[in-house]
Amino acid sequence: MTTDEATADLWNDVDALWAWLEAGQPHGGTEGLLLRMLKLSEEVGEVAQAVIGATGQNPRKGVTHTWDDVQSELCDVVITALVALRTLTPDAREVFTRHLARVAERSLGAGGRGSGA
């Protein structure tokens, strides 16, 4: 699979997840939009819970998670964020691509990826 195919699959999956959520959402309009954005906070909290569990930081519970759990929770954050972006605009792919390019330019410099500038 090429990078372009993987990117197309990612955004096709984001669109499909968005459509599935839209069809079954109990709250529409502004309330539904706000609840979709709040879902992101819930997922970030699950990352924190997994990190605490993977490091055994809660002495009452000990080690309850693995670093694979942390990876899965981070993936959930990314998916939730992309679906939230799709909720805001049907042009989510273009909006994200432009923003990523700006962040990469700002962070990596004119030399592009891996320049370390």
Side-chain angles (χ1 to χ4, degrees), residues 46-63:
E46 291 176 10
V47 171
Q49 182 180 19
V51 169
I52 289 167
T55 58
Q57 290 301 302
N58 183 336
R60 185 175 51 82
K61 294 182 180 179
V63 174

Side-chain angles (χ1 to χ4, degrees), residues 69-89:
D69 295 327
V70 175
Q71 290 176 15
S72 293
E73 296 300 345
L74 285 169
C75 289
D76 287 348
V77 169
V78 172
I79 293 164
T80 301
L82 292 176
V83 171
L85 180 60
R86 174 58 184 88
T87 300
L88 288 174
T89 177

